[in-house]
mmCIF file with all atom_site columns, all heavy atoms in Angstrom:
data_model
loop_
_atom_site.group_PDB
_atom_site.id
_atom_site.type_symbol
_atom_site.label_atom_id
_atom_site.label_alt_id
_atom_site.label_comp_id
_atom_site.label_asym_id
_atom_site.label_entity_id
_atom_site.label_seq_id
_atom_site.pdbx_PDB_ins_code
_atom_site.Cartn_x
_atom_site.Cartn_y
_atom_site.Cartn_z
_atom_site.occupancy
_atom_site.B_iso_or_equiv
_atom_site.pdbx_formal_charge
_atom_site.auth_seq_id
_atom_site.auth_comp_id
_atom_site.auth_asym_id
_atom_site.auth_atom_id
_atom_site.pdbx_PDB_model_num
ATOM 1  N N   . ALA A 1 259 ? -32.441 -2.876 5.709  1.00 0.00 ? 331 ALA A N   1
ATOM 2  C CA  . ALA A 1 259 ? -33.029 -1.940 6.696  1.00 0.00 ? 331 ALA A CA  1
ATOM 3  C C   . ALA A 1 259 ? -33.733 -2.657 7.790  1.00 0.00 ? 331 ALA A C   1
ATOM 4  O O   . ALA A 1 259 ? -33.467 -2.416 9.019  1.00 0.00 ? 331 ALA A O   1
ATOM 5  C CB  . ALA A 1 259 ? -33.877 -0.926 6.002  1.00 0.00 ? 331 ALA A CB  1
ATOM 6  N N   . PRO A 1 260 ? -34.814 -3.526 7.550  1.00 0.00 ? 332 PRO A N   1
ATOM 7  C CA  . PRO A 1 260 ? -35.506 -4.179 8.667  1.00 0.00 ? 332 PRO A CA  1
ATOM 8  C C   . PRO A 1 260 ? -34.569 -5.125 9.487  1.00 0.00 ? 332 PRO A C   1
ATOM 9  O O   . PRO A 1 260 ? -34.697 -5.289 10.630 1.00 0.00 ? 332 PRO A O   1
ATOM 10 C CB  . PRO A 1 260 ? -36.575 -5.038 7.935  1.00 0.00 ? 332 PRO A CB  1
ATOM 11 C CG  . PRO A 1 260 ? -36.123 -5.107 6.464  1.00 0.00 ? 332 PRO A CG  1
ATOM 12 C CD  . PRO A 1 260 ? -35.363 -3.897 6.223  1.00 0.00 ? 332 PRO A CD  1
ATOM 13 N N   . ALA A 1 261 ? -33.538 -5.727 8.805  1.00 0.00 ? 333 ALA A N   1
ATOM 14 C CA  . ALA A 1 261 ? -32.703 -6.524 9.503  1.00 0.00 ? 333 ALA A CA  1
ATOM 15 C C   . ALA A 1 261 ? -31.885 -5.774 10.576 1.00 0.00 ? 333 ALA A C   1
ATOM 16 O O   . ALA A 1 261 ? -31.627 -6.169 11.646 1.00 0.00 ? 333 ALA A O   1
ATOM 17 C CB  . ALA A 1 261 ? -31.666 -7.279 8.596  1.00 0.00 ? 333 ALA A CB  1
ATOM 18 N N   . ALA A 1 262 ? -31.469 -4.575 10.083 1.00 0.00 ? 334 ALA A N   1
ATOM 19 C CA  . ALA A 1 262 ? -30.714 -3.728 11.049 1.00 0.00 ? 334 ALA A CA  1
ATOM 20 C C   . ALA A 1 262 ? -31.592 -3.238 12.204 1.00 0.00 ? 334 ALA A C   1
ATOM 21 O O   . ALA A 1 262 ? -31.065 -3.215 13.335 1.00 0.00 ? 334 ALA A O   1
ATOM 22 C CB  . ALA A 1 262 ? -30.217 -2.455 10.281 1.00 0.00 ? 334 ALA A CB  1
ATOM 23 N N   . GLN A 1 263 ? -32.872 -2.982 11.927 1.00 0.00 ? 335 GLN A N   1
ATOM 24 C CA  . GLN A 1 263 ? -33.773 -2.623 12.970 1.00 0.00 ? 335 GLN A CA  1
ATOM 25 C C   . GLN A 1 263 ? -33.971 -3.726 14.035 1.00 0.00 ? 335 GLN A C   1
ATOM 26 O O   . GLN A 1 263 ? -34.010 -3.559 15.173 1.00 0.00 ? 335 GLN A O   1
ATOM 27 C CB  . GLN A 1 263 ? -35.169 -2.190 12.432 1.00 0.00 ? 335 GLN A CB  1
ATOM 28 C CG  . GLN A 1 263 ? -35.048 -0.939 11.558 1.00 0.00 ? 335 GLN A CG  1
ATOM 29 C CD  . GLN A 1 263 ? -36.403 -0.551 10.963 1.00 0.00 ? 335 GLN A CD  1
ATOM 30 O OE1 . GLN A 1 263 ? -37.335 -1.332 11.125 1.00 0.00 ? 335 GLN A OE1 1
ATOM 31 N NE2 . GLN A 1 263 ? -36.363 0.539  10.254 1.00 0.00 ? 335 GLN A NE2 1
ATOM 32 N N   . SER A 1 264 ? -34.059 -4.975 13.478 1.00 0.00 ? 336 SER A N   1
ATOM 33 C CA  . SER A 1 264 ? -34.245 -6.205 14.398 1.00 0.00 ? 336 SER A CA  1
ATOM 34 C C   . SER A 1 264 ? -33.022 -6.360 15.246 1.00 0.00 ? 336 SER A C   1
ATOM 35 O O   . SER A 1 264 ? -33.096 -6.702 16.434 1.00 0.00 ? 336 SER A O   1
ATOM 36 C CB  . SER A 1 264 ? -34.474 -7.388 13.508 1.00 0.00 ? 336 SER A CB  1
ATOM 37 O OG  . SER A 1 264 ? -35.664 -7.233 12.731 1.00 0.00 ? 336 SER A OG  1
ATOM 38 N N   . VAL A 1 265 ? -31.888 -6.172 14.652 1.00 0.00 ? 337 VAL A N   1
ATOM 39 C CA  . VAL A 1 265 ? -30.628 -6.348 15.455 1.00 0.00 ? 337 VAL A CA  1
ATOM 40 C C   . VAL A 1 265 ? -30.485 -5.309 16.543 1.00 0.00 ? 337 VAL A C   1
ATOM 41 O O   . VAL A 1 265 ? -30.210 -5.600 17.688 1.00 0.00 ? 337 VAL A O   1
ATOM 42 C CB  . VAL A 1 265 ? -29.414 -6.272 14.547 1.00 0.00 ? 337 VAL A CB  1
ATOM 43 C CG1 . VAL A 1 265 ? -28.088 -6.213 15.353 1.00 0.00 ? 337 VAL A CG1 1
ATOM 44 C CG2 . VAL A 1 265 ? -29.386 -7.451 13.601 1.00 0.00 ? 337 VAL A CG2 1
ATOM 45 N N   . GLN A 1 266 ? -30.945 -4.046 16.217 1.00 0.00 ? 338 GLN A N   1
ATOM 46 C CA  . GLN A 1 266 ? -30.900 -3.026 17.241 1.00 0.00 ? 338 GLN A CA  1
ATOM 47 C C   . GLN A 1 266 ? -31.871 -3.366 18.390 1.00 0.00 ? 338 GLN A C   1
ATOM 48 O O   . GLN A 1 266 ? -31.510 -3.091 19.549 1.00 0.00 ? 338 GLN A O   1
ATOM 49 C CB  . GLN A 1 266 ? -31.198 -1.685 16.530 1.00 0.00 ? 338 GLN A CB  1
ATOM 50 C CG  . GLN A 1 266 ? -30.183 -1.083 15.603 1.00 0.00 ? 338 GLN A CG  1
ATOM 51 C CD  . GLN A 1 266 ? -30.566 0.148  14.935 1.00 0.00 ? 338 GLN A CD  1
ATOM 52 O OE1 . GLN A 1 266 ? -31.702 0.634  15.127 1.00 0.00 ? 338 GLN A OE1 1
ATOM 53 N NE2 . GLN A 1 266 ? -29.711 0.692  14.139 1.00 0.00 ? 338 GLN A NE2 1
#
Side-chain angles (χ1 to χ4, degrees):
Q335 292 175 359
S336 300
V337 171
Q338 290 176 358

